[in-house]
Amino acid sequence: MLADLHAHYPMHIVAQDAPRATIDRMRTARGRPRLRDKVRALLLAFLSRLINNRTWWSGFRVTAPSIRQGSARIVLSVLYRPFEEMDLEEPYAAAPEPKYFDLLMKDLERVEADIAARDRAEIRIVRNRQELDQCLADGATAMIHCVEGGFHLGDRDDEIERNVRTLADKGVAYLTLAHLFFRQVATNAPALPFLPDWLYNLVFPQRAGEGLTSRGVAAVRAMVAHRVIVDVSHMRPAAVKDTLDLLDEIDPDRNVPVISSHAGYRFGSQQYMHDEGQIRRIQARDGVIGLIMAHHQLNDGVRRTNTSDLGETMEVIDRHVAKIREITGDHRHVAIGTDFDGFIKPTMGGLQSMADLKPLEDELRTRYGPDADLIASGNVLRVLEKVWT
């Protein structure tokens, strides 16, 4: 059984619905189409083809058929609204807008409607431990909501708490507070594959030493209260430290785990990846690091050229798995978090879509024997079970 800790299933649902939703909004705007709305809707579909899909005509990497073809049994399905994070109506690094959460919830409803129309014997949404156990027992794929970007949660503390509670009630397993651009929640590490880190930092500056803001603190407190997993992916080192320090303060018994859903060990210079100290602190909360299947991050400091097939990719994966095991002493803290359809083109060789996860699982079993169960799915199940008691 294989679990993907971070996959953007909603991306193709939102991209398909965006033009229709835009038309509906234009019809209610006194009959006057807004060119900006139309451009935003079309741009999402264009960007998906250009910097997401393998080729212009290949389609999305994460679909229900490809999930089943790749035999993935647990998919952490990531909700994310790119044009709210890159809100062109606001200045860079502006505070979040309350409307973002309502739009996020509409996306969640679209995903649920899409999955509800499919065969429950093959794939279904699960929101708690009982539903997860039953789904796996029935041989179906369990899809679990997650959210990437704390900017979705709103501006005020009471608003953030209320929205986290709503997400928890909807079965959202984890929240990634930082993402691609700073929105006054948590500072983020550069992650755009087409932009060198130095250039990103020049174009999108953030104050040195700043980490978790007051909004981020409010979010972490609400997540602990409502048992939503904290995901430190995308955070700058200062934000990772602030988050882990706060968790140790408000959850000293370490009942809520922390994860990094799509990253790896920092062999190179990218602050996006995790150093030994961060990995030890994730281990201390019995958390897990999902390995991202992106050349830009996973190859950094390991090899200079892109991998061309699964064999070469496994050599890179082996380096990350071995290093994390060296730090933690076992295989309990590493998993797979592909980030497919998360604008990570090019993906690792031999891994072009969810359909390619079955050969990856087979390779894990060949190389790691009994511990492959931990890497493939056991570690993800463990962190879910800690919050879904």
Side-chain angles (χ1 to χ4, degrees), residues 153-165:
L153 301 176
D155 188 17
R156 303 186 318 273
D157 288 4
D158 61 332
E159 180 184 15
I160 292 169
E161 196 282 334
R162 181 174 65 251
N163 290 339
V164 170
R165 182 173 68 248

Side-chain angles (χ1 to χ4, degrees), residues 109-164:
E109 292 168 1
R110 291 189 186 108
V111 171
E112 293 199 340
D114 175 85
I115 296 299
R118 301 182 183 276
D119 187 349
R120 275 183 56 82
E122 292 192 351
I123 189 167
R124 67 188 74 161
I125 300 287
V126 302
R127 302 173 184 83
N128 54 53
R129 173 72 180 276
Q130 293 73 27
E131 291 180 359
L132 174 61
D133 290 346
Q134 187 62 58
C135 180
L136 297 179
D138 292 344
T141 293
M143 182 169 287
I144 302 168
H145 294 307
C146 305
V147 173
E148 186 162 41
F151 65 89
H152 295 99
L153 301 176
D155 188 17
R156 303 186 318 273
D157 288 4
D158 61 332
E159 180 184 15
I160 292 169
E161 196 282 334
R162 181 174 65 251
N163 290 339
V164 170

Side-chain angles (χ1 to χ4, degrees), residues 4-15:
D4 189 342
L5 193 54
H6 194 93
H8 287 266
Y9 183 86
M11 191 64 75
H12 77 283
I13 304 298
V14 175

Side-chain angles (χ1 to χ4, degrees), residues 131-373:
E131 291 180 359
L132 174 61
D133 290 346
Q134 187 62 58
C135 180
L136 297 179
D138 292 344
T141 293
M143 182 169 287
I144 302 168
H145 294 307
C146 305
V147 173
E148 186 162 41
F151 65 89
H152 295 99
L153 301 176
D155 188 17
R156 303 186 318 273
D157 288 4
D158 61 332
E159 180 184 15
I160 292 169
E161 196 282 334
R162 181 174 65 251
N163 290 339
V164 170
R165 182 173 68 248
T166 297
L167 292 174
D169 290 343
K170 293 290 184 180
V172 168
Y174 69 74
L175 280 162
T176 307
L177 294 181
H179 198 226
L180 298 177
F181 304 99
F182 181 58
R183 292 300 304 271
Q184 298 190 29
V185 179
T187 52
N188 62 283
L192 299 176
F194 50 84
L195 209 59
D197 285 10
W198 68 266
L199 182 56
Y200 177 93
N201 289 326
L202 181 66
V203 177
F204 303 107
Q206 300 172 78
R207 287 193 295 270
E210 185 169 23
L212 202 63
T213 70
S214 60
R215 294 177 185 83
V217 170
V220 171
R221 289 186 179 278
M223 292 162 71
V224 170
H226 299 292
R227 303 191 68 77
V228 176
I229 298 170
V230 178
D231 182 2
V232 297
S233 295
H234 284 280
M235 285 184 177
R236 287 200 171 193
V240 174
K241 181 181 184 303
D242 286 353
T243 301
L244 293 169
D245 287 349
L246 179 60
L247 282 170
D248 287 346
E249 173 191 333
I250 62 179
D251 180 35
D253 295 332
R254 298 173 177 169
N255 293 314
V256 176
V258 65
I259 66 170
S260 182
S261 64
H262 53 304
Y265 177 74
R266 190 188 304 164
F267 286 104
S269 61
Q270 292 183 27
Q271 290 187 333
Y272 179 92
M273 306 297 268
H274 296 297
D275 63 19
E276 180 173 340
Q278 291 170 347
I279 291 173
R280 289 192 184 280
R281 295 197 68 180
I282 292 171
Q283 175 194 17
R285 299 194 72 86
D286 204 21
V288 64
I289 299 166
L291 299 183
I292 185 172
M293 294 298 110
H295 280 296
H296 179 66
Q297 282 89 12
L298 208 65
N299 281 349
D300 185 45
V302 178
R303 59 179 290 155
R304 296 183 178 181
T305 59
N306 291 349
T307 57
S308 59
D309 55 37
L310 185 57
E312 291 183 351
T313 291
M314 287 305 304
E315 293 176 3
V316 178
I317 290 175
D318 285 344
R319 288 284 304 278
H320 285 269
V321 171
K323 188 63 179 180
I324 294 172
R325 177 187 170 88
E326 176 187 325
I327 293 169
T328 64
D330 53 38
H331 285 132
R332 284 174 51 86
H333 306 286
V334 62
I336 302 298
T338 65
D339 200 16
F340 283 158
D341 280 341
F343 301 120
I344 62 165
K345 180 181 178 180
T347 57
M348 298 294 288
L351 296 172
Q352 300 300 329
S353 77
M354 297 293 285
D356 298 319
L357 293 187
K358 184 60 172 69
L360 172 61
E361 181 182 1
D362 292 342
E363 283 288 338
L364 292 174
R365 297 196 180 285
T366 298
R367 293 166 185 259
Y368 299 107
D371 278 4
D373 285 335

